Amino acid sequence: MYRTSIESSCFVILRKQIKHSLFLSFLILFFIGTYAISSAEVVGFEDIFKDLGSKSRMKIKKAVIKLGNIGNPIVLPALEALKEKRLVVDENGRLIILNVQKDGGQTALNGKPIEIKSHTLKAPRINNSVRRVLSMAIGKLKLGSPEAQIRMSAAEEILKRPSGEVLDLVKKALERESNAQVRNILSLILAKIQLSSDDISERIQAVAIIKEFGGIRFKPDLEALMHKNSENGEFTEPDENVRKAATDALASIKNRQFFINQVANLFYGLSLGSILLLAALGLAVTFGLMGVINMAHGEMLMLGAYSTYVVQNLFKTHLPDFFNWYLIVAIPIAFAVSALVGIILERSVIRHLYGRPLETLLATWGISLLLIQTVRLVFGAQNVEVANPSWLSGGTQLFHGVVLPYNRIAIIIFVVFVVTLVWGLLQKTSLGLQVRAVTQNRAMASCIGISTIQVDMWTFGLGSGIA
């Protein structure tokens, strides 16, 4: 009995030890497996990431697609650099992102600064096919950005080439999206995907969304639903309700687009007409007063433009912190330069040719050629760029489909201001009174003591400055 009791006790202890050992073994295996899986994921991610620098475009394309589906935002700078041709590979196979000036860089995976002069760098070669998948992958990653404008541009990029692969991603983005404009674009992405759904109700709902938020870009998709096969007489879309909804949506989009085009054309016509009015105003002043056909008037516009370019470069070099305000300084300087050149031309050449319009035409044409060649010698024959200040960049959305650029709005306001200023100068000042007197009767104005020579000089300078 005693022996049996001891054996039973030993058996119980042994069983407990075995259970304890099995439990520990299970825990060890679990942690080892978890670590192995996570390590494999890391290794797999790094291998995919390294393929961005591959010599094979197919490998690059597959890597971009996989990285876009993984959704890790850490790869976004590398994908953008690849698209902009700033991603390079060193002799050790390490990916490096060059800065915009391409005089320095950082490692692509962790962003550490790196000196590139001591490395042999080679850029991976991509084509349009790779660029397309790059745009899609970048769009996917940017959908999670805190900036509404970035999310909107990402959604617009996905809308160009939607596919079933992004369906879940877009649905999740739509659930958390608070910006109305971004929500509309995401809804359009879903609608475009659901047009090929097997569910009739989903297709009708997709057509309704396109009717409400869509534009002329959806015209081919709606027309495809109503397409009739000439061989068997069957429609691409078998359901009559879907076809009717597509017909209504297409008619609605066409009417909306017509209205949008009319509003946009009206606004752009106003802005272009404002520019032409400003260009012609000075010419009308000089021709109305002196009867001079100034063929060099266009070159006064040119001098004003190059004066603005010079002021811009001076601000870039000496006052970079105030660059956004260079235009405020450039406007009076451009006026002064053009007016001064106009006064010099009037005093040196044109004043000897009053009363001979054909000769003034030939003389000012020759002056225009002289001014053109002078500017070419100073600035070169290539076009130069005058940048928009930040406060004139972008635009305001009047309604869906019509965006009014700030620079065109500024042009219209500025032209109204200049025309009002010129009207006030001619109607409310002593110079304006003298100009009107000389215009109506030059001989009588001279008899009552008005210096017609000075009036001609200042008026020609004013006309040139307005240009």
Side-chain angles (χ1 to χ4, degrees):
M1 290 289 295
Y2 181 73
R3 183 177 178 182
T4 305
S5 165
I6 293 174
E7 288 177 352
S8 300
S9 300
C10 291
F11 179 75
V12 170
I13 294 171
L14 181 62
R15 185 171 61 183
K16 287 182 179 180
Q17 288 180 343
I18 291 171
K19 284 183 178 179
H20 183 67
S21 302
L22 287 172
F23 179 71
L24 287 176
S25 301
F26 174 77
L27 285 178
I28 293 170
L29 288 172
F30 174 77
F31 285 117
I32 291 173
T34 304
Y35 177 76
I37 291 171
S38 62
S39 300
E41 287 178 350
V42 171
V43 171
F45 175 78
E46 290 183 354
D47 288 341
I48 296 170
F49 190 77
K50 285 180 180 178
D51 281 346
L52 293 178
S54 173
K55 295 179 181 179
S56 168
R57 293 192 184 100
M58 186 56 67
K59 276 190 175 181
I60 295 175
K61 188 174 178 179
K62 289 180 178 178
V64 170
I65 294 172
K66 288 178 181 177
L67 291 172
N69 292 333
I70 290 172
N72 191 342
I74 196 174
V75 303
L76 185 57
L79 296 182
E80 290 180 329
L82 179 61
K83 188 176 181 181
E84 297 167 4
K85 298 182 179 180
R86 292 188 296 108
L87 186 72
V88 294
V89 187
D90 67 3
E91 64 277 5
N92 299 318
R94 180 172 49 178
L95 291 173
I96 298 172
I97 300 174
L98 301 178
N99 58 28
V100 178
Q101 291 78 22
K102 297 185 179 180
D103 54 0
Q106 59 186 26
T107 54
L109 199 55
N110 53 27
K112 291 182 179 179
I114 188 170
E115 179 63 44
I116 63 173
K117 292 181 180 178
S118 57
H119 295 279
T120 303
L121 305 176
K122 189 174 181 180
R125 298 174 63 185
I126 61 175
N127 54 15
N128 289 334
S129 177
V130 178
R131 290 187 187 94
R132 281 193 291 270
V133 296
L134 270 172
S135 299
M136 179 62 73
I138 291 171
K140 289 180 181 179
L141 294 171
K142 284 185 175 179
L143 278 180
S145 170
E147 297 286 338
Q149 193 62 39
I150 295 176
R151 297 198 303 274
M152 186 182 298
S153 63
E156 286 281 3
E157 192 62 43
I158 295 174
L159 183 58
K160 294 176 183 177
R161 286 174 293 273
S163 63
E165 297 176 359
V166 298
L167 186 61
D168 293 336
L169 179 70
V170 173
K171 283 182 178 179
K172 291 178 182 178
L174 189 59
E175 289 174 0
R176 64 174 182 267
E177 184 56 59
S178 58
N179 185 280
Q181 294 181 357
V182 181
R183 285 186 63 85
N184 292 345
I185 299 172
L186 292 173
S187 299
L188 287 172
I189 295 172
L190 288 180
K192 201 166 183 179
I193 295 172
Q194 289 173 346
L195 283 178
S196 56
S197 171
D198 295 331
D199 190 342
I200 295 175
S201 61
E202 283 190 357
R203 297 203 299 273
I204 292 176
Q205 184 182 2
V207 172
I209 292 173
I210 292 173
K211 179 181 179 180
E212 185 177 358
F213 304 117
I216 200 68
R217 74 172 93 175
F218 290 91
K219 182 181 176 182
D221 300 288
L222 295 174
E223 288 178 342
L225 295 176
M226 300 179 289
H227 178 70
K228 189 175 184 180
N229 194 321
S230 57
E231 295 180 0
N232 53 23
E234 295 181 355
F235 289 94
T236 305
E237 170 54 54
D239 188 79
E240 183 180 355
N241 293 326
V242 178
R243 293 200 303 271
K244 185 178 182 303
T247 304
D248 294 341
L250 188 60
S252 175
I253 287 174
K254 285 181 178 179
N255 292 334
R256 184 163 63 239
Q257 190 63 39
F258 176 78
F259 177 71
I260 288 171
N261 290 341
Q262 297 309 307
V263 174
N265 290 339
L266 176 63
F267 176 72
Y268 291 136
L270 280 174
S271 62
L272 181 59
S274 300
I275 296 171
L276 297 177
L277 173 62
L278 200 59
L281 183 61
L283 188 63
V285 170
T286 55
F287 181 74
L289 174 65
M290 297 175 286
V292 173
I293 304 173
N294 185 11
M295 294 293 290
H297 190 73
E299 280 59 52
M300 300 303 164
L301 276 75
M302 176 189 70
L303 292 176
Y306 276 99
S307 300
T308 305
Y309 171 72
V310 170
V311 172
Q312 169 193 264
N313 289 345
L314 289 175
F315 267 75
K316 276 184 180 178
T317 306
H318 303 290
L319 297 169
D321 295 336
F322 300 94
F323 178 77
N324 281 329
W325 304 104
Y326 85 90
L327 198 59
I328 305 299
V329 178
I331 288 173
I333 289 179
F335 175 85
V337 169
S338 299
L340 181 62
V341 172
I343 289 172
I344 293 172
L345 292 181
E346 196 278 334
R347 287 289 81 197
S348 60
V349 177
I350 296 173
R351 74 186 182 95
H352 302 292
L353 303 174
Y354 288 142
R356 291 178 284 178
L358 290 178
E359 293 183 21
T360 58
L361 187 149
L362 291 173
T364 53
W365 180 61
I367 291 169
S368 73
L369 296 178
L370 177 64
L371 290 174
I372 290 171
Q373 192 58 38
T374 302
V375 167
R376 282 182 175 176
L377 290 174
V378 174
F379 297 100
Q382 299 297 322
N383 291 335
V384 295
E385 181 184 3
V386 178
N388 254 354
S390 60
W391 50 275
L392 281 182
S393 300
T396 179
Q397 185 166 353
L398 187 61
F399 50 83
H400 182 69
V402 176
V403 177
L404 307 183
Y406 291 137
N407 56 357
R408 290 184 178 270
I409 295 173
I411 287 170
I412 295 172
I413 295 173
F414 181 69
V415 168
V416 171
F417 170 74
V418 171
V419 171
T420 305
L421 197 65
V422 171
W423 177 85
L425 181 66
L426 294 177
Q427 295 292 327
K428 305 295 183 181
T429 65
S430 174
L431 176 62
L433 181 62
Q434 294 178 25
V435 168
R436 285 183 285 124
V438 173
T439 303
Q440 293 173 16
N441 195 324
R442 177 179 290 270
M444 183 58 71
S446 179
C447 290
I448 63 174
I450 296 176
S451 175
T452 57
I453 295 175
Q454 286 192 356
V455 170
D456 289 340
M457 179 184 70
W458 290 117
T459 304
F460 198 88
L462 175 65
S464 300
I466 291 173

